[in-house]
Structures are given as C-alpha cells and as structure tokens.
Amino acid sequence: MRLVLSRKGFDSSAGGHDSPVLPDGRIVSLPIPGPPGPLYRELKVDDENSYADLMLRLGINSVNHVPVSEAQAHADPDLDRSRSHRVAGWLPMFGQADAAQTHLRNQGVAEGDVFLFFGRFRHTEETGSRRLRYKGDPFHLIWGYLEVGAVIDVASAGTFEPWMLEHVHVSSRNDIGWRSNTVYVAKEVSSLGRDLPGGGTFRSYRPELRLTKTGGPLSSWRLPLALHPSRTTHALTYNPPARWAVDGLDAVVSVASRGQEFVVDVNDGVREWLGQLQRSQPDP
C-alpha cells in the first residue's frame, strides 16, 4: 500500500484565498476555479448555502475575474455525496492528468493505495449580517481521503458508468487537452476499518487533522514518526531526508512547495495512523 498526500483546494495562487474552518468547526474545502466544472452556486455546502453563498459571506466576490455567481469550480476530488444530486451507484472519485499523473504512475499508485487530501485553511468568525472573516494564520489541514478501488485511463476507456459522467475528468475528456487523463475510483468499503466508506470528507476540525505544527510556519509539518525517512523504504517524494527531523515521538518536515502529490510506502505505523484518522470521523 502507498500513501499519497495530495494538495487540493484553494490557496494563495489557485483561488487566491484560504478554505475556511467555519465558526461551528466545520471544514469546507473550496475547489479551485474552473473551467471546466459546475458553477459554485450549483454545489451545496448544506441545505441553506451553496459554495457561492459561502464564498460571498467570506468576501470572495470573484475568482479569476469572474463573479462568484457565474464562476465554475473544478470540483475534483469529488468526495462529498451531499454536495449535489447523485446518480445511483455514485462513489467518490478523483481525477489527475499531465505531470502530476505521470508522478503517480511512476510511483506505481494503484488499487489499494490511499489518498489523503490536504489544503490551506484558516479559522473564521462571524462579524454580523451573516458575514464571515478570516482570523489567525493559515495552516495545512487534511480534509478528505480516498482508498483506491479502481484506476481508469479515461482516454482508453470504452464506456463509463452513468454516475461517472458528471465527474469533470470524464465530462470534459474530449474538450481539454489533458495528457494521461486518469480517474481513481474509491472502494465501496475501506480496508482500514470495519464498515467505513472507501472515500469521504472530514467534516469538523480536529487537531489530529492539522499538518502544520502549532506556531507554524505553514510548511513545517508534524507527522507520525512512522513517516520519518528512517522508518520508511524511501522518503516521501519531493521531501528527502535533509528536510526531516525527529521531535520526541513525532517527525517534523519542512515540506516541499513543489508537487501536488507526495507518495510514500505504508508501513505498520502509517497504516495505524490512517485507520485512526478514518475511524475518528469520516463522512461519505
């Protein structure tokens, strides 16, 4: 089994803002701007708010010079069943292409491997009239996961299940010049814990989901000691041993800014950590 730490969602360059931790503790990863993809106003945060509604409450009025009410979201990875209407049989799915997919292919990422999706977040507070503002410093936070049940090369696939057709890497397969366009489909049930779904989101902030160590900086991560290069068969990709240190029972890494995905082989300690994260509070 391989673990892929995958950077997804808004940041200072893609979207120009941070994803929010809401005042009630909910974490909402804002997908980067499209096209291609659905409109932000078509994606639901909850029964009362669309993603566009939430962004406007945060003072995000436009993305890439397009008004939020008309802007498209690259809604990938697609992990949250409640975000929009789903066709029967729907499973979480993630698409990748171009250089990032080449890296995953070269690392042998395949069925049975696990993605942990992280992004740049900040806490928020209400200011009146339902407005929200960011507070504190940004930090990296794990917000979702997917255990791979199938890997599909989109270009060579003859047909797709009806529920797959709404995923942006499938629906736009003939419109975008993606190289090595590939989708990773979640297992129905995870192998890491009984009765857990094979993919989903973590809805509420908890310290164990936070990667950035307390006090920062943003790129300084605290991780289980099992992920230290001395404990793995090879270092987390793009993060060689010189970037790592040991601090008590934890590993600390000055994480590379390069790359969307960092890959490492799963040992017993990493498997235990993944199981603990999933069992604590995943939502399909």
Side-chain angles (χ1 to χ4, degrees):
M1 178 183 284
R2 293 168 184 82
L3 168 64
V4 185
L5 287 165
S6 180
R7 188 194 317 263
K8 292 295 175 285
F10 263 36
D11 59 25
S12 58
S13 58
H17 299 271
D18 300 315
S19 289
V21 177
L22 300 181
D24 63 5
R26 283 181 294 163
I27 55 180
V28 181
S29 175
L30 300 175
I32 65 172
L39 298 173
Y40 284 102
R41 59 182 166 85
E42 295 173 335
L43 301 175
K44 296 190 300 180
V45 174
D46 52 38
D47 291 339
E48 297 181 356
N49 296 278
S50 70
Y51 276 64
D53 293 332
L54 175 59
M55 292 161 71
L56 290 170
R57 290 179 65 195
L58 287 163
I60 304 172
N61 298 313
S62 65
V63 288
N64 293 349
H65 309 293
V66 178
V68 162
S69 60
E70 301 302 322
Q72 290 176 275
H74 188 78
D76 182 47
D78 189 12
L79 307 177
D80 185 352
R81 181 184 296 273
S82 65
R83 192 162 69 175
S84 63
H85 174 74
R86 302 299 189 179
V87 176
W90 179 86
L91 289 169
M93 191 158 69
F94 167 56
Q96 192 53 281
D98 301 330
Q101 171 54 26
T102 298
H103 180 61
L104 294 178
R105 184 180 63 236
N106 289 344
Q107 294 298 315
V109 175
E111 180 180 345
D113 295 340
V114 176
F115 287 86
L116 283 182
F117 298 103
F118 73 92
R120 178 171 162 148
F121 284 78
R122 288 175 70 189
H123 289 285
T124 61
E125 60 186 4
E126 293 194 21
T127 63
S129 302
R130 300 189 74 247
R131 299 285 289 182
L132 296 169
R133 66 183 176 197
Y134 293 104
K135 66 176 184 177
D137 296 324
F139 51 88
H140 285 139
L141 185 75
I142 297 167
W143 62 270
Y145 74 96
L146 184 150
E147 186 172 351
V148 181
V151 181
I152 301 173
D153 180 271
V154 175
S156 62
T159 59
F160 297 91
E161 296 291 333
W163 62 268
M164 296 180 177
L165 296 176
E166 292 184 0
H167 191 279
V168 64
H169 275 257
V170 178
S171 63
S172 299
R173 63 191 181 280
N174 297 321
D175 303 322
I176 306 295
W178 282 316
R179 294 173 286 108
S180 305
N181 187 16
T182 302
V183 291
Y184 297 84
V185 183
K187 291 183 175 182
E188 290 191 36
V189 179
S190 173
S191 68
L192 295 169
R194 188 178 66 182
D195 298 330
L196 291 171
T201 60
F202 297 96
R203 295 293 182 130
S204 297
Y205 176 86
R206 300 191 315 283
E208 55 265 38
L209 295 174
R210 180 177 170 130
L211 294 170
T212 301
K213 70 178 185 179
T214 302
L218 177 70
S219 60
S220 183
W221 287 6
R222 185 174 294 275
L223 292 168
L225 190 57
L227 280 163
H228 191 276
S230 66
R231 305 293 181 95
T232 58
T233 54
H234 64 80
L236 193 70
T237 55
Y238 299 122
N239 292 275
R243 288 183 169 271
W244 294 77
V246 174
D247 184 6
L249 297 178
D250 297 322
V252 176
V253 58
S254 178
V255 72
S257 58
R258 176 190 178 191
Q260 292 186 43
E261 273 89 24
F262 307 138
V263 186
V264 67
D265 288 339
V266 171
N267 56 31
D268 289 343
V270 173
R271 181 183 291 271
E272 180 180 357
W273 177 58
L274 291 174
Q276 289 172 348
L277 288 178
Q278 284 188 305
R279 287 190 294 272
S280 58
Q281 186 210 322
D283 289 328

